[in-house]
């Protein structure tokens, strides 16, 4: 049963860099796991802690945020805000008994299609190793 576990992963990608990196990965025909569902956001600074927690609450096994490289945010400091919120989200998760590794932040420029695909593969492998989140939520 556990061997067949396929995680559901949400990738929140900023429209300026990471979404373009995902697009580039597709254009380059780079494969990455279909487990990753991409959501376009205007900037990672727009993502609230509640958005991350709500996704996990609703059955997503892992969430990663992917923004512009630090210093390159189109809204100046959105990715720095997202970085701080991610750290706080991890703290909340560990306090309630959920692995903080289920959330992560990455930085991918629009030219980093291969790195984006690798991010998807690495994060999917990580979440597959953690197992389904419903076991944690039911405990
Ligand atoms: Fe990309 Fe802010 S616009 S992280």
């Amino acid at each position: 049963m556990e061997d067949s576990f396929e995680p559901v992963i949400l990738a929140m990608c900023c429209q300026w860099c990471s979404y373009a990196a995902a697009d580039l990965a597709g254009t380059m025909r780079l494969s990455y796991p279909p487990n990753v569902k991409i959501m376009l956001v205007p900037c990672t600074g727009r993502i609230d802690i509640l958005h991350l927690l709500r996704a996990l609450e609703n059955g997503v096994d892992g969430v990663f945020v992917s923004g512009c490289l630090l210093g390159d945010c189109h809204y100046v400091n959105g990715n720095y805000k997202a970085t701080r919120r991610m750290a706080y989200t991890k703290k909340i998760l560990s306090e309630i008994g959920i692995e903080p590794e289920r959330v992560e932040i990455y930085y991918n420029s629009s030219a980093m299609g291969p790195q984006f695909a690798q991010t998807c593969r690495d994060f999917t492998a990580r979440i597959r190793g953690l197992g389904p989140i419903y076991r944690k939520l039911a405990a």
Side-chain angles (χ1 to χ4, degrees), residues 14-17 42-45 66-68 72-75 78-79:
C14 97
Q15 67 178 339
W16 296 103
C17 287
C43 170
T44 58
S66 186
C68 302
D72 283 349
C73 172
H74 285 58
Y75 301 97
N79 48 8

Side-chain angles (χ1 to χ4, degrees), residues 113-126:
Q115 290 87 342
F116 182 83
Q118 188 61 46
T119 295
C120 292
R121 289 191 290 270
D122 292 346
F123 192 75
T124 301
R126 181 201 288 190

Side-chain angles (χ1 to χ4, degrees), residues 22-129:
D23 210 21
L24 179 61
T27 303
M28 294 174 75
R29 297 183 176 273
L30 301 172
S31 66
Y32 59 84
N35 309 63
V36 178
K37 314 298 179 204
I38 295 175
M39 172 190 274
L40 176 70
V41 295
C43 170
T44 58
R46 178 64 185 84
I47 299 168
D48 191 81
I49 292 169
L50 277 178
H51 294 134
L52 302 170
L53 297 178
R54 213 31 89 83
L56 295 173
E57 183 184 37
N58 286 320
V60 170
D61 297 297
V63 187
F64 75 82
V65 170
S66 186
C68 302
L69 299 176
L70 289 172
D72 283 349
C73 172
H74 285 58
Y75 301 97
V76 183
N77 58 6
N79 48 8
Y80 284 99
K81 289 177 183 171
T83 301
R84 286 196 299 274
R85 289 180 190 143
M86 183 58 71
Y88 193 58
T89 304
K90 285 175 175 281
K91 186 170 182 284
I92 291 171
L93 288 176
S94 50
E95 284 175 2
I96 62 174
I98 294 176
E99 301 93 345
E101 297 85 6
R102 289 189 184 275
V103 294
E104 197 56 79
I105 185 164
Y106 298 101
Y107 312 95
N108 290 293
S109 77
S110 56
M112 295 170 71
Q115 290 87 342
F116 182 83
Q118 188 61 46
T119 295
C120 292
R121 289 191 290 270
D122 292 346
F123 192 75
T124 301
R126 181 201 288 190
I127 301 302
R128 194 174 279 130

